[in-house]
Amino acid sequence: AFAVYQILPRLNDLPAAPSRWGLPLLVIAFLQAWIGTLAHWTFVARIALPISVAGTILYWKGPRHLRAFAFPLLLSLLMITPP
């Protein structure tokens, strides 16, 4: 949360340019979470959350905002325990 808080002033200056490329990311993340849950692959199911967040940011705000959120998203991958 602190990493996102640090980039908030920079986000206000970025123009929103929504991209439809976020929708396939959301679908992939949904399928990954669904298959990972059904097959009891916890790592696969958990890694779907940062992918869905990236897809949501890309779909609603665009690639510039996704680039601004790159560090917090990559940092959130460290919270997922490896298999």
Side-chain angles (χ1 to χ4, degrees):
F2 182 70
V4 174
Y5 177 74
Q6 285 182 328
I7 64 170
L8 279 180
R10 191 170 42 150
L11 289 178
N12 292 332
D13 297 335
L14 292 176
S19 173
R20 292 184 188 233
W21 284 105
L23 198 57
L25 271 178
L26 288 171
V27 171
I28 288 170
F30 169 74
L31 291 174
Q32 185 176 352
W34 184 52
I35 291 170
T37 303
L38 289 177
H40 298 288
W41 295 335
T42 56
F43 182 74
V44 173
R46 289 176 184 168
I47 205 79
L49 180 65
I51 295 172
S52 65
V53 171
T56 304
I57 292 171
L58 186 61
Y59 185 74
W60 287 105
K61 293 293 186 175
R64 290 184 182 167
H65 279 77
L66 183 61
R67 225 173 294 128
F69 276 102
F71 178 70
L73 282 174
L74 291 174
L75 190 63
S76 71
L77 289 176
L78 295 175
M79 294 188 301
I80 300 169
T81 57

